Amino acid sequence: MDSTIEVQGKQLKLSNLDKVLYPATGFTKQQIIDYYVRVAPAMVPHLAGRALTRKRYPNGVDEEFFYEKNAPQHRPDWVKTAPIWSEGNRRTVHYILANDLPTLVWLANLAAIELHPSLALAKDITCPTMMVFDLDPGPPANIVQCCQVGLWLREIFEHFDLHSFPKTSGSKGLQLYVPLNTPTKYESTKTFAHALAQLLEHDHPDMVVSDMKKKIRTGKVFVDWSQNDEHKTTVAVYSLRARERPTVSTPVTWEEIERAFKKKDTSLLVFEARQVVARVEKMGDLFAPTLEVKQRLPDLKHVETSVAAEPEETISIAAQAEEEPKRPRRRVVTKNAKRPAARKAKRRV
């Protein structure tokens, strides 16, 4: 089934709308497009201006997929791109900028199920606007253990007077974002993230690892600090995931994290497309503050010379969080904090 629609004045031809891309649930390409249309008002601000890597599943989530960085030649002329030099490929890559709803719909029609934006804006690709921690549980550990590690991280952030925002990965784990929106470099965010990961491993060796070797992750939570890199991306907030069911990387409250940890109930932090649309309509965009809150990392100049600093040295720096007295918490108030989400976008055939 094909269809031609108009989205915000742009004509799009949609193809194979009845094609099932999630076989276990019968979730079709049309439903994927519909999800992204409904969640777009909350999602697009988090994609706009950022180089976007797409993970495409043309034959469904249980079939082969491929990553796509360069914009395809057959794109509409209104799809914006950003030229970024790739040292590894020794060429300029023209990344897509998902700046608007029509572009998001166009990507969904290409079966770009997962969207992975840069942590930096394309206009200054070396300056991340946030620091991220990807908490990845090694079975039999699960997202409940990630909640415990996330709460430990939040406590450290609070000592540094840093606000943090959690979201599910939409897969097995949890991700924490610390918005910065101030001049910084990946050397600083990666060094600081690495130090905190090592501190947690030092304090909780039975539950936390900071080394990415899979053989040592069993039953523990890997605190992935390495995502803070110009050449890496993290799945976008509100992105679908290519799992058996159409789960979504979903922003959650710290109260929800605490509740899931207390009840030891993994289901409390699993959200599918329909649930996420309902949450956004009810709660607004819980991640809106990450676009506005301005924060600076503590001064770590004496360890920034090497991301691979000695563990004792980085641990001692991170441990300053536990030595410094707590300062009064600043209240996060933004113009988007209580903005109701996303009215259903009107489409004309």
Side-chain angles (χ1 to χ4, degrees), residues 124-154:
D124 190 356
I125 201 63
T126 65
C127 177
T129 64
M130 62 194 80
M131 179 173 62
V132 64
F133 294 80
D134 189 3
L135 308 183
D136 186 11
N142 55 41
I143 200 169
V144 170
Q145 285 74 30
C146 292
C147 289
Q148 172 66 90
V149 176
L151 291 168
W152 286 332
L153 272 171
R154 181 183 64 165

Side-chain angles (χ1 to χ4, degrees), residues 42-346:
M43 185 179 194
V44 168
H46 298 284
L47 299 176
R50 298 179 188 273
L52 186 65
T53 298
R54 291 87 63 202
K55 199 172 179 182
R56 293 177 57 182
Y57 292 79
N59 296 310
V61 297
D62 58 347
E63 299 290 340
E64 291 187 7
F65 66 89
F66 62 95
Y67 285 95
E68 188 174 52
K69 295 179 181 290
N70 216 22
Q73 292 184 347
H74 58 78
R75 68 183 181 276
D77 57 9
W78 42 262
V79 171
K80 304 299 182 184
T81 61
I84 297 175
W85 174 255
S86 170
E87 193 65 39
N89 295 315
R90 304 297 301 169
R91 66 185 178 93
T92 297
V93 176
H94 295 270
Y95 285 89
I96 286 172
L97 302 177
N99 290 345
D100 51 35
L101 174 60
T103 301
L104 193 58
V105 172
W106 174 72
L107 288 170
N109 186 58
L110 295 177
I113 290 177
E114 292 192 7
L115 304 176
H116 296 247
S118 169
L119 293 176
L121 294 170
K123 65 183 180 181
D124 190 356
I125 201 63
T126 65
C127 177
T129 64
M130 62 194 80
M131 179 173 62
V132 64
F133 294 80
D134 189 3
L135 308 183
D136 186 11
N142 55 41
I143 200 169
V144 170
Q145 285 74 30
C146 292
C147 289
Q148 172 66 90
V149 176
L151 291 168
W152 286 332
L153 272 171
R154 181 183 64 165
E155 185 176 358
I156 296 173
F157 298 149
E158 288 179 344
H159 275 281
F160 282 120
D161 198 23
L162 293 172
H163 293 278
S164 56
F165 298 83
K167 72 179 177 73
T168 70
S169 69
S171 180
K172 300 176 297 178
L174 196 66
Q175 295 165 345
L176 305 186
Y177 283 65
V178 178
L180 301 173
N181 298 308
T182 53
T184 189
K185 295 295 180 183
Y186 282 104
E187 289 85 353
S188 298
T189 57
K190 180 181 277 190
T191 298
F192 189 51
H194 193 186
L196 295 193
Q198 289 183 320
L199 174 66
L200 287 174
E201 182 179 43
H202 178 269
D203 288 350
H204 309 282
D206 58 332
M207 187 177 291
V208 177
V209 294
S210 64
D211 192 307
M212 59 184 64
K213 295 186 184 70
K214 290 191 176 180
K215 63 182 180 181
I216 65 173
R217 294 195 210 174
T218 302
K220 299 183 180 182
V221 174
F222 170 44
V223 179
D224 190 353
W225 49 271
S226 69
Q227 293 297 107
N228 298 283
D229 190 288
E230 180 179 341
H231 307 292
K232 292 190 176 184
T233 59
T234 305
V235 69
V237 63
Y238 301 113
S239 175
L240 285 162
R241 300 307 305 268
R243 307 288 291 175
E244 184 178 25
R245 304 184 67 84
T247 54
V248 174
S249 182
T250 310
V252 292
T253 66
W254 280 112
E255 289 74 21
E256 288 178 300
I257 298 291
E258 292 167 350
R259 187 181 311 120
F261 176 64
K262 182 178 180 179
K263 293 182 176 295
K264 312 299 182 190
D265 187 348
T266 61
S267 69
L268 294 175
L269 294 175
V270 178
F271 305 98
E272 295 186 18
R274 183 179 300 178
Q275 294 170 289
V276 172
V277 170
R279 282 173 63 88
V280 172
E281 290 176 347
K282 178 182 179 181
M283 305 169 72
D285 176 17
L286 295 177
F287 248 49
T290 66
L291 300 174
E292 301 175 353
V293 171
K294 296 183 185 298
Q295 306 184 117
R296 293 184 182 275
L297 296 181
D299 184 8
L300 302 179
K301 284 188 291 189
H302 55 298
V303 296
E304 284 179 2
T305 54
S306 173
V307 171
E310 289 297 318
E312 292 79 5
E313 186 177 12
T314 53
I315 287 171
S316 67
I317 297 303
Q320 293 173 9
E322 298 181 348
E323 297 168 0
E324 294 181 356
K326 282 190 176 183
R327 287 169 283 178
R329 297 286 289 148
R330 295 170 295 159
R331 183 184 177 192
V332 173
V333 179
T334 72
K335 63 184 179 181
N336 293 327
K338 295 184 179 180
R339 182 174 58 191
R343 294 187 298 268
K344 298 178 183 178
K346 295 181 179 178

